[in-house]
Amino acid sequence: MSINTFGHLFRVTTWGESHGPALGATVDGCPPNVPLSAEALQHWLDKRRPGVNKNTTQRQEADAVRILSGVFNGMTTGTPIQLMIENTDQRSRDYGDIAHTFRPGHADITYHLKYGNRDYRGGGRSSARETAARVAAGGIARAALDHLAPGLEIKGYMVAMGEMTLDRSRFDRDAIDRNDFWLPDATSAPEWEAYLQKLRKNHDSVGAMIEVTARGAPAGLGAPVYGKLDTDLAAAMMSINAVKGVEIGEGMAAAGLTGTANADEIFMGEDGPEFSSNHSGGILGGISTGQEIVVRFAVKPTSSILTPRRSIRTDGTATEVITKGRHDPCVGIRAVPVGEAMMACVLLDHLLLHRGQIGENQGHIGP
Amino acid sequence: MSINTFGHLFRVTTWGESHGPALGATVDGCPPNVPLSAEALQHWLDKRRPGVNKNTTQRQEADAVRILSGVFNGMTTGTPIQLMIENTDQRSRDYGDIAHTFRPGHADITYHLKYGNRDYRGGGRSSARETAARVAAGGIARAALDHLAPGLEIKGYMVAMGEMTLDRSRFDRDAIDRNDFWLPDATSAPEWEAYLQKLRKNHDSVGAMIEVTARGAPAGLGAPVYGKLDTDLAAAMMSINAVKGVEIGEGMAAAGLTGTANADEIFMGEDGPEFSSNHSGGILGGISTGQEIVVRFAVKPTSSILTPRRSIRTDGTATEVITKGRHDPCVGIRAVPVGEAMMACVLLDHLLLHRGQIGENQGHIGP
Amino acid sequence: MSINTFGHLFRVTTWGESHGPALGATVDGCPPNVPLSAEALQHWLDKRRPGVNKNTTQRQEADAVRILSGVFNGMTTGTPIQLMIENTDQRSRDYGDIAHTFRPGHADITYHLKYGNRDYRGGGRSSARETAARVAAGGIARAALDHLAPGLEIKGYMVAMGEMTLDRSRFDRDAIDRNDFWLPDATSAPEWEAYLQKLRKNHDSVGAMIEVTARGAPAGLGAPVYGKLDTDLAAAMMSINAVKGVEIGEGMAAAGLTGTANADEIFMGEDGPEFSSNHSGGILGGISTGQEIVVRFAVKPTSSILTPRRSIRTDGTATEVITKGRHDPCVGIRAVPVGEAMMACVLLDHLLLHRGQIGENQGHIGP
Amino acid sequence: MSINTFGHLFRVTTWGESHGPALGATVDGCPPNVPLSAEALQHWLDKRRPGVNKNTTQRQEADAVRILSGVFNGMTTGTPIQLMIENTDQRSRDYGDIAHTFRPGHADITYHLKYGNRDYRGGGRSSARETAARVAAGGIARAALDHLAPGLEIKGYMVAMGEMTLDRSRFDRDAIDRNDFWLPDATSAPEWEAYLQKLRKNHDSVGAMIEVTARGAPAGLGAPVYGKLDTDLAAAMMSINAVKGVEIGEGMAAAGLTGTANADEIFMGEDGPEFSSNHSGGILGGISTGQEIVVRFAVKPTSSILTPRRSIRTDGTATEVITKGRHDPCVGIRAVPVGEAMMACVLLDHLLLHRGQIGENQGHIGP
């Protein structure tokens, strides 16, 4: 794991700025003989593509991904897979006026201080556009998981956006793909939309909380201590731009629970151990239990807003900043497929790690 | 970064089980010529040592650390530093009856499934005892930071424990070291203690939330994307046993904020940029701003409780588990110095990374 | 360091097959504010480009490199630099007949056994074409070294090719760039050429030995044990396709020396320590002495020859193989700029590592 | 792979100085359920132990290894294994006079320049004593290989020492363990001994060349480019102190061969492909062929000699150095078990890597 790379055996390095010629991902360590095509990856990219609905940025990017290496005759070869997405609708003129101004809440000031050099046309590396590369890489992970863990199903959705929060009593998994908010409650989606459009008209933006789940993940993934599955999932989600918090299972709420309330009691089911509850989020001691894996992360409100905020210029003089351009009023919406992609990458990586060190699970439960 | 190792340049590998002969940390990449002694490390270990007050486990461990390598004539040499803490009060007979039983909420079942082999005397690698090695390693990081970032001050404290939550209007930094809960509000400590002792008498335990802060950290630490300072802090904290959530600055609450509320406006101060607020927790785009760095993490309630919980044995038969032994009613208390240690390790690592890639910060702000 | 990546802080991942759409390198960890252009990289690529003289393959590749990220306004930004070289003259029809046949001396059979899938159009990942990406990455390293170690001069040349060996008494550094063999003895070049052309007409090929040197490298680069500068140089050179041996200073010949003969005695010069000889190749205990760093590596003869060799097909039946196509009779010639590039990458990486851990050299010699 | 660590999945970090309290290895990533005891590791350590015969150093070290973690009830648990060897016969007074003098050929001067601090009692990290930790770690790798690759046999031996070179026509594998030189030609051992003792009496030392082989290694280990099995073997051997050259198969001699001579022709044998020769050293394109893997490395002559050599002190003044103490006249002898250990570690690591990415070999040869 290094600065722009994640993963142990299935390693993803993303590269590229929002307004350079292209961006992409270098994916090393994929198993061979996984059927893979640009079309299959495009399916996932289209889920996060901007310009699709009025609740996301109106930037029109084709986000067409090309596979430059590592696939031959429609199958992975086991060598590095290079994914490239060309930037086609950059309109970098929108950004000329911020070359010497630091937008509050943005990485402008920290990049300037650290590097003394930044691609000020948009967010550079900290742009939400970087996540397109992750989604494409996640598509590769999903294709490999289809072979290695056939029953695995990864699903992300929104659970909160500003004042709106999901009423879990109305949770409807089938609704998720049928509204613009990936909301598991189709009946509430219009209310969320009205709320968001009002914020947008007020030149404001809003944060969001996303939950990503994996059903059918085998028990035994992860490891103690620094290889905890929780650790890698936390790092994966926190590495997404604008994410400021990550939790597993009960998460932060675990601080308020007692040990009797938090214990997931264990029973013997027909196919192995079962649990009375899932406070652990499917992970005990860093290792998956076989239950549903549950991760949540919070995305801060889009920092690019039309409401003026006080700031300074590189020469230290004071100014006010209004961030024009085409920005998501809630960048969290597009973080849903990104979170799914990160879950896919982490699970595949841990499947490979587990197979490498151990082969098959070692412990039997039963007579 | 691998399974039992964290850090890029300042790399810490912990090893050892709670009831084996010893545990410790292998620390590679420390700068040379840092004054270091076992006594200095002991200072930090004593902060997390069990048996010190009645709110933590009564296990009596000397937790005496030995430096086996990498230090010569009281100074680090730049070669690997091996730290060893011998286990002296193991009483492993306490654990004999759980050799074939899975304690709910513990890693017993997942270790069994994954490895088919576990050191069932206590928690093995998932025991809170593993954190002693981190605290010792953190002591090395602090000694190095004293040279490299002289003004840096790392401070952790509890902000919640079950129903108890810190009243921030009474925040008193000086109180932290003067009560058993590392609580920045000495007047409330007796109430917290009464609450905890009542839980303990009820054979229960409770979770906690810890906040760890760093003042005086230089701007420019961190990097975009996967090297985000947020990412490494999240991974560091989440890797601590029993931690289930991590957040930076506003954290999970950012999901509920608007962009106008969340923006930290920027001013020019006498010594450089200043901010009107610190919703970002001192990190923008993954890179430190120079403000206070603020991380919180949640520790789940101790799973070892005297209240019976239903479970199964390795042969699949049903049983009830009461976890005897000497356990913390709130393991979160001892997580405070652990969180501080992880903060120290991550900041030193990023200081070295920054110096490696860039040398000095590059960007000037001002006329 | 992983399968397709080398370097600790300056990390290069190469990707791409010889006959896919493109190949390239993902370069992470480059310092910011290094002047960089595609033209500057092209200069180094042109040195290894095929088709330039009759002693190398007649494949005509433009080998035009594009910089897709990490450079803005002509300067590196400190973020990942993506280099892409499109394959334009692939003629993959030349390779159709070897889809199911294993060429002796090639990786065909091992790729087949391992992956069950290979891009049989040329050598895939094991093609000499992969080294173009290294040369481009090495160009970035050189640009960064120009800033960090201004006096450093990297120079590679051939010292042997089959029966031809360099007469060191006629060593002429200035001659290296003036003949097709990078031979530091211009007067012998015609003899080498006659020898090689005769081999080629006989449908044969030949091996080569290359020496790569670095003058002006600062003392103090490297580290003990696994971070030995020797180790990373050996790995860097051995990772080049067709390389089967690497040595530093006396190298393999050290086995035949006595301790008295091998000792480089030390004197105090005007600017610091000087040595009576350089048996060590500029590296003691894994750390550079400040003397010239000297590495040699052997490249095996090109396995693609027109002389028939016995082999088998994927179905196990016997066959004879004649490798048509356009191949270098001595692939070692083009390995010279590749070796230089690897030296540049390793030295930059160790400069950054050294700066990260230590800052400046710590030890003074003198009154 | 970092400064004091090698391996991808089976990761070994060595620590400790020759005259500190202890040295050892932290071994992470070992498969669980491998039978392991200190006694089994001791067997390998005793092979390289000093003081056993008059051709090696007379330092008397018990070299008793303790297992501090990662093994429970005689089986590995899959968690980090800590190995500790206490230094018992240090006699550091022997070294007091070299605290401020640089011994020619030693790392004294480079450590001083780099770190400004060194454990001058003996070689510190660059002492041959560090290799004891590798041999112990190699013992773990061998135990794991016994399960994963039952037919694998690793064997090292000397092929040259100064003027003495092995006559391969008299190669006798059974002789290796029956003489002090690990020489596969028992009849020549007395001549080697006479040669070495004469050198020692002349206050001199001598270099050596070691060959390490692995029979029965499965085909398919390794990977293209930087994960070439050759690369990791080269790095592993070159990382041993005093090693200055490494070669695979024909090695450096490949520079002198033609393509027709170097081609290992392929036949179909009863159990799969066979080769007419093994110029490749069992590795093609970085991946094992199933043939014997053959690596050679050169160890330079011991730099610690009683013949005076000119040098300088830390204050820059001139001096002469005679290195007293108890030193091997040919440190290469003890490098034989070290080379075997490194081979074991690299092969296990690549077996795990292969299993992780691919599971089983994918390609079939035959009808």
Side-chain angles (χ1 to χ4, degrees):
Chain A
M1 188 181 303
S2 59
I3 300 311
N4 291 282
T5 301
F6 60 93
H8 305 267
L9 286 183
F10 181 78
R11 296 169 62 81
V12 177
T13 306
T14 72
W15 54 270
E17 281 80 29
S18 62
H19 288 69
L23 53 82
T26 309
V27 179
D28 196 9
C30 185
N33 302 309
V34 175
L36 196 71
S37 66
E39 292 68 35
L41 300 182
Q42 200 64 47
H43 169 74
W44 302 109
L45 275 165
D46 289 347
K47 286 187 69 173
R48 76 159 281 295
R49 186 150 55 92
V52 173
N53 74 59
K54 67 174 169 298
N55 295 307
T56 56
T57 171
Q58 295 308 299
R59 179 172 168 166
Q60 298 290 337
E61 284 286 359
D63 270 2
V65 65
R66 285 184 64 198
I67 299 175
L68 297 182
S69 66
V71 175
F72 183 59
N73 288 342
M75 305 282 267
T76 59
T77 59
T79 58
I81 302 169
Q82 185 58 251
L83 304 174
M84 179 174 70
I85 300 168
E86 291 184 82
N87 289 321
T88 52
D89 179 33
Q90 300 148 339
R91 284 207 217 170
S92 53
R93 64 186 175 281
D94 287 358
Y95 296 94
D97 55 345
I98 56 163
H100 300 290
T101 302
F102 305 123
R103 294 167 297 169
H106 274 280
D108 303 338
I109 191 167
T110 49
Y111 275 48
H112 176 82
L113 284 169
K114 183 182 188 83
Y115 299 113
N117 188 0
R118 66 189 168 94
D119 186 339
Y120 50 72
R121 302 166 303 169
R125 283 295 282 159
S126 66
S127 165
R129 235 182 119 46
E130 182 270 343
T131 61
R134 299 177 188 234
V135 170
I140 297 177
R142 286 175 186 263
L145 285 168
D146 282 347
H147 282 235
L148 289 168
L152 182 70
E153 190 189 356
I154 293 168
K155 200 77 192 167
Y157 40 87
M158 286 183 82
V159 293
M161 180 181 69
E163 296 167 14
M164 303 290 107
T165 55
L166 173 67
D167 176 354
R168 289 199 182 250
S169 71
R170 298 165 65 179
F171 192 99
D172 175 9
R173 195 174 175 94
D174 294 333
I176 295 169
D177 287 329
R178 289 200 242 106
N179 65 81
D180 286 352
F181 295 92
W182 317 106
L183 188 63
D185 170 13
T187 58
S188 298
E191 189 187 355
W192 287 47
E193 176 162 348
Y195 172 74
L196 187 63
Q197 290 303 326
K198 187 176 163 195
L199 278 166
R200 192 160 72 91
K201 278 164 200 155
N202 289 342
H203 294 177
D204 213 338
S205 63
V206 72
M209 195 177 306
I210 288 94
E211 187 165 286
V212 182
T213 62
R215 287 184 183 170
L221 302 187
V225 188
Y226 221 72
K228 279 172 67 177
L229 191 54
D230 323 59
T231 304
D232 278 354
L233 286 170
M237 300 309 171
M238 193 64 102
S239 76
I240 302 170
N241 66 318
V243 172
K244 299 300 279 187
V246 184
E247 56 184 22
I248 313 284
E250 284 291 341
M252 302 308 284
L257 291 182
T258 61
T260 46
N262 190 57
D264 300 317
E265 294 183 299
I266 314 175
F267 300 89
M268 194 63 189
E270 293 200 357
D271 301 323
E274 293 179 0
F275 297 83
S276 63
S277 50
N278 191 12
H279 298 287
S280 76
I283 307 173
L284 278 176
I287 299 172
S288 63
T289 61
Q291 292 176 275
E292 187 175 45
I293 296 171
V294 182
V295 183
R296 274 181 305 284
F297 60 92
V299 180
K300 71 178 184 181
T302 314
S303 299
S304 300
I305 49 177
L306 282 164
T307 303
R309 297 283 95 187
R310 286 171 294 181
S311 186
I312 58 174
R313 299 188 189 88
T314 50
D315 63 5
T317 54
T319 183
E320 282 204 334
V321 178
I322 294 173
T323 310
K324 294 174 196 163
R326 298 149 296 164
H327 299 287
D328 289 289
C330 176
V331 75
I333 300 173
R334 291 203 284 136
V336 174
V338 180
E340 288 183 345
M342 297 307 282
M343 174 72 90
C345 290
V346 170
L347 292 183
L348 174 61
D349 188 34
H350 274 277
L351 266 164
L352 300 182
L353 267 179
H354 180 83
R355 183 165 71 169
Q357 190 188 7
I358 298 176
E360 301 295 327
N361 281 350
Q362 297 276 341
H364 171 71
I365 295 180
Chain B
M1 189 181 302
S2 60
I3 300 312
N4 291 282
T5 302
F6 60 92
H8 305 267
L9 286 183
F10 181 77
R11 294 170 63 82
V12 177
T13 306
T14 73
W15 54 271
E17 281 80 29
S18 63
H19 287 68
L23 53 81
T26 309
V27 179
D28 196 9
C30 186
N33 303 308
V34 175
L36 197 71
S37 66
E39 292 69 34
L41 300 182
Q42 200 63 47
H43 169 74
W44 303 109
L45 276 166
D46 289 346
K47 285 188 69 172
R48 78 158 282 293
R49 186 149 55 91
V52 173
N53 73 60
K54 67 175 169 295
N55 294 308
T56 57
T57 172
Q58 296 307 301
R59 178 171 169 167
Q60 298 289 337
E61 285 285 359
D63 271 3
V65 65
R66 285 184 63 199
I67 298 175
L68 298 182
S69 66
V71 175
F72 183 59
N73 289 341
M75 305 282 267
T76 58
T77 58
T79 59
I81 303 169
Q82 185 58 251
L83 303 174
M84 179 174 70
I85 300 167
E86 290 184 83
N87 290 321
T88 53
D89 179 34
Q90 300 148 341
R91 286 207 215 169
S92 53
R93 63 185 176 282
D94 287 359
Y95 296 94
D97 55 344
I98 56 163
H100 300 290
T101 302
F102 305 122
R103 294 168 296 170
H106 275 280
D108 302 339
I109 192 167
T110 49
Y111 276 47
H112 176 82
L113 284 168
K114 183 181 188 82
Y115 299 113
N117 188 1
R118 66 188 168 96
D119 187 339
Y120 50 72
R121 302 166 302 169
R125 283 295 283 159
S126 66
S127 165
R129 237 182 118 45
E130 181 270 342
T131 60
R134 300 176 188 235
V135 170
I140 297 175
R142 285 175 188 264
L145 286 168
D146 283 347
H147 282 235
L148 289 167
L152 182 70
E153 191 188 355
I154 293 168
K155 199 79 192 165
Y157 40 86
M158 287 184 80
V159 294
M161 179 181 70
E163 296 168 13
M164 303 290 107
T165 54
L166 172 67
D167 177 354
R168 290 199 182 248
S169 71
R170 296 165 65 181
F171 192 99
D172 174 8
R173 194 173 176 94
D174 294 333
I176 295 169
D177 287 328
R178 289 200 240 107
N179 65 81
D180 286 352
F181 295 91
W182 317 106
L183 188 63
D185 170 13
T187 58
S188 298
E191 190 188 354
W192 287 47
E193 177 162 349
Y195 172 74
L196 187 63
Q197 290 303 326
K198 187 176 163 195
L199 277 166
R200 191 161 72 90
K201 278 164 200 157
N202 288 342
H203 294 177
D204 212 339
S205 64
V206 72
M209 195 177 305
I210 288 93
E211 187 165 288
V212 181
T213 61
R215 288 185 182 169
L221 303 186
V225 188
Y226 220 71
K228 278 172 68 177
L229 190 55
D230 324 58
T231 303
D232 278 353
L233 285 170
M237 300 309 170
M238 193 64 102
S239 76
I240 301 170
N241 65 318
V243 172
K244 299 300 279 187
V246 184
E247 55 184 22
I248 313 284
E250 283 290 341
M252 302 307 286
L257 291 181
T258 61
T260 45
N262 190 57
D264 300 316
E265 295 182 299
I266 314 174
F267 301 89
M268 194 64 188
E270 292 199 358
D271 301 323
E274 293 179 2
F275 296 82
S276 63
S277 51
N278 190 13
H279 297 287
S280 75
I283 307 173
L284 278 176
I287 299 172
S288 64
T289 61
Q291 293 176 275
E292 188 174 45
I293 296 172
V294 182
V295 183
R296 273 181 306 283
F297 60 93
V299 181
K300 71 178 183 179
T302 314
S303 299
S304 300
I305 50 177
L306 282 163
T307 302
R309 298 283 95 187
R310 285 171 294 181
S311 185
I312 59 174
R313 300 188 189 87
T314 51
D315 63 5
T317 55
T319 184
E320 283 204 332
V321 177
I322 295 173
T323 309
K324 294 174 196 163
R326 299 149 296 165
H327 299 288
D328 290 290
C330 176
V331 75
I333 300 174
R334 292 204 284 136
V336 173
V338 180
E340 288 183 345
M342 297 307 283
M343 174 71 89
C345 291
V346 170
L347 292 183
L348 174 61
D349 189 34
H350 274 277
L351 266 165
L352 300 182
L353 266 179
H354 180 83
R355 184 165 70 170
Q357 190 188 6
I358 299 176
E360 303 294 327
N361 281 350
Q362 298 276 341
H364 171 71
I365 295 181
Chain C
M1 190 180 302
S2 60
I3 301 313
N4 291 281
T5 302
F6 60 93
H8 304 268
L9 287 183
F10 181 78
R11 296 170 62 81
V12 177
T13 306
T14 72
W15 54 269
E17 282 79 30
S18 62
H19 288 67
L23 53 81
T26 310
V27 179
D28 197 8
C30 185
N33 303 308
V34 175
L36 196 71
S37 67
E39 291 69 36
L41 301 182
Q42 200 63 48
H43 168 74
W44 303 109
L45 276 165
D46 289 347
K47 285 187 71 171
R48 77 158 282 294
R49 186 149 57 90
V52 173
N53 73 59
K54 67 175 169 295
N55 295 308
T56 56
T57 171
Q58 297 307 299
R59 178 172 169 167
Q60 298 289 337
E61 284 286 358
D63 271 2
V65 65
R66 285 185 63 200
I67 299 175
L68 298 182
S69 65
V71 176
F72 182 59
N73 288 343
M75 306 281 267
T76 59
T77 59
T79 59
I81 302 169
Q82 185 57 252
L83 303 174
M84 180 174 69
I85 300 167
E86 290 183 84
N87 290 321
T88 53
D89 179 34
Q90 300 147 340
R91 285 207 215 171
S92 53
R93 64 187 175 280
D94 287 359
Y95 295 95
D97 55 345
I98 56 164
H100 301 290
T101 302
F102 304 123
R103 294 168 297 169
H106 273 279
D108 302 339
I109 191 167
T110 49
Y111 275 47
H112 176 81
L113 284 169
K114 184 183 187 80
Y115 299 115
N117 188 1
R118 67 189 167 95
D119 187 339
Y120 50 71
R121 301 165 304 168
R125 282 296 282 160
S126 66
S127 164
R129 234 180 121 46
E130 182 270 343
T131 61
R134 300 177 188 235
V135 170
I140 297 177
R142 286 176 187 263
L145 285 167
D146 282 348
H147 282 234
L148 289 168
L152 182 71
E153 190 189 356
I154 294 169
K155 200 78 192 165
Y157 40 85
M158 287 185 80
V159 294
M161 179 182 69
E163 297 167 14
M164 303 290 107
T165 55
L166 172 67
D167 176 355
R168 289 199 183 249
S169 71
R170 296 165 66 180
F171 192 99
D172 174 9
R173 195 174 174 94
D174 294 334
I176 296 170
D177 287 329
R178 289 199 242 107
N179 65 81
D180 286 352
F181 295 92
W182 317 107
L183 188 63
D185 169 14
T187 58
S188 298
E191 189 187 356
W192 287 47
E193 177 162 348
Y195 172 74
L196 187 63
Q197 290 303 326
K198 187 176 164 196
L199 278 166
R200 191 160 73 90
K201 278 165 199 153
N202 289 342
H203 294 177
D204 212 339
S205 64
V206 72
M209 195 177 306
I210 287 92
E211 187 165 287
V212 181
T213 61
R215 289 185 181 169
L221 302 188
V225 187
Y226 220 71
K228 279 171 68 176
L229 190 54
D230 323 59
T231 304
D232 278 353
L233 285 170
M237 301 308 172
M238 193 64 102
S239 76
I240 301 169
N241 66 319
V243 172
K244 299 300 278 187
V246 184
E247 56 184 23
I248 312 284
E250 284 291 342
M252 303 308 285
L257 290 182
T258 61
T260 46
N262 191 57
D264 299 317
E265 295 183 299
I266 314 175
F267 300 89
M268 194 64 189
E270 293 199 359
D271 301 323
E274 293 178 2
F275 297 82
S276 64
S277 50
N278 190 13
H279 297 287
S280 75
I283 306 174
L284 279 175
I287 299 172
S288 63
T289 62
Q291 293 176 275
E292 187 174 46
I293 296 172
V294 182
V295 183
R296 273 181 306 284
F297 60 92
V299 180
K300 70 177 185 181
T302 314
S303 299
S304 300
I305 49 179
L306 281 163
T307 302
R309 296 284 95 185
R310 286 170 296 182
S311 185
I312 58 175
R313 299 187 189 88
T314 51
D315 63 5
T317 54
T319 184
E320 283 204 332
V321 177
I322 295 174
T323 309
K324 295 174 194 162
R326 299 148 296 164
H327 300 287
D328 290 289
C330 175
V331 75
I333 300 172
R334 290 203 285 136
V336 174
V338 180
E340 289 183 345
M342 296 308 281
M343 174 71 90
C345 290
V346 170
L347 292 183
L348 174 61
D349 189 34
H350 274 276
L351 266 165
L352 300 183
L353 266 179
H354 180 82
R355 184 165 71 169
Q357 190 189 6
I358 298 177
E360 300 296 325
N361 280 350
Q362 297 277 340
H364 171 72
I365 295 180
Chain D
M1 189 180 304
S2 59
I3 299 313
N4 291 281
T5 301
F6 60 92
H8 304 269
L9 286 183
F10 181 79
R11 294 170 64 81
V12 177
T13 306
T14 72
W15 53 271
E17 282 80 27
S18 62
H19 287 68
L23 53 82
T26 309
V27 179
D28 196 8
C30 186
N33 303 308
V34 175
L36 197 71
S37 66
E39 291 68 36
L41 300 183
Q42 200 63 47
H43 169 74
W44 303 109
L45 275 166
D46 289 347
K47 285 187 71 172
R48 75 160 283 293
R49 185 150 56 92
V52 173
N53 73 59
K54 67 176 171 294
N55 295 308
T56 56
T57 171
Q58 295 307 299
R59 177 171 170 167
Q60 298 290 335
E61 285 286 359
D63 270 2
V65 66
R66 286 184 64 199
I67 299 175
L68 297 182
S69 66
V71 175
F72 183 59
N73 289 341
M75 304 282 267
T76 59
T77 59
T79 59
I81 302 170
Q82 185 58 253
L83 304 173
M84 179 174 69
I85 300 167
E86 290 184 83
N87 290 321
T88 53
D89 179 34
Q90 301 148 342
R91 286 206 213 170
S92 53
R93 63 186 176 280
D94 288 0
Y95 296 94
D97 55 344
I98 56 163
H100 300 290
T101 301
F102 305 122
R103 295 168 296 169
H106 274 279
D108 303 338
I109 192 167
T110 49
Y111 275 49
H112 176 82
L113 284 169
K114 183 183 187 81
Y115 299 114
N117 187 0
R118 65 188 169 95
D119 187 339
Y120 49 72
R121 303 166 302 168
R125 284 295 282 160
S126 67
S127 165
R129 236 182 117 46
E130 182 270 342
T131 61
R134 300 177 188 234
V135 170
I140 297 176
R142 285 175 188 264
L145 285 167
D146 283 347
H147 282 235
L148 289 168
L152 182 71
E153 190 188 355
I154 293 169
K155 200 78 193 165
Y157 40 85
M158 287 184 81
V159 293
M161 180 182 70
E163 296 168 12
M164 303 290 106
T165 55
L166 172 68
D167 176 354
R168 289 198 182 251
S169 72
R170 297 165 65 180
F171 192 98
D172 175 9
R173 194 173 176 94
D174 294 332
I176 296 169
D177 288 328
R178 290 200 240 108
N179 66 80
D180 287 351
F181 295 93
W182 317 106
L183 188 64
D185 170 14
T187 57
S188 298
E191 189 187 357
W192 287 47
E193 177 163 349
Y195 171 74
L196 187 63
Q197 290 303 326
K198 186 175 165 195
L199 278 167
R200 192 161 72 90
K201 278 165 199 153
N202 289 341
H203 295 177
D204 212 339
S205 63
V206 72
M209 195 178 304
I210 288 93
E211 187 165 288
V212 181
T213 61
R215 287 186 182 168
L221 302 188
V225 187
Y226 220 72
K228 279 172 69 176
L229 191 54
D230 324 57
T231 304
D232 278 354
L233 286 170
M237 301 307 172
M238 193 64 102
S239 76
I240 301 170
N241 65 317
V243 172
K244 298 301 279 187
V246 184
E247 56 183 23
I248 313 284
E250 284 290 342
M252 302 309 285
L257 291 181
T258 61
T260 46
N262 191 57
D264 300 317
E265 294 182 299
I266 313 175
F267 301 89
M268 193 63 189
E270 292 200 359
D271 301 323
E274 293 178 2
F275 296 82
S276 63
S277 50
N278 190 12
H279 297 287
S280 75
I283 307 173
L284 279 175
I287 299 172
S288 63
T289 62
Q291 293 176 276
E292 188 174 45
I293 296 171
V294 182
V295 183
R296 273 181 307 282
F297 60 92
V299 180
K300 71 178 185 181
T302 314
S303 300
S304 299
I305 49 177
L306 281 163
T307 302
R309 297 283 96 187
R310 285 170 295 182
S311 186
I312 58 174
R313 300 188 189 87
T314 50
D315 64 4
T317 55
T319 183
E320 282 205 332
V321 177
I322 295 173
T323 309
K324 295 173 194 163
R326 299 149 296 165
H327 299 288
D328 290 289
C330 175
V331 75
I333 300 173
R334 292 202 284 136
V336 173
V338 180
E340 288 182 346
M342 296 307 282
M343 175 72 90
C345 290
V346 170
L347 292 183
L348 174 61
D349 188 35
H350 274 277
L351 266 165
L352 301 183
L353 265 179
H354 180 83
R355 184 165 70 169
Q357 190 188 6
I358 298 176
E360 301 296 326
N361 281 350
Q362 297 276 342
H364 171 71
I365 296 180

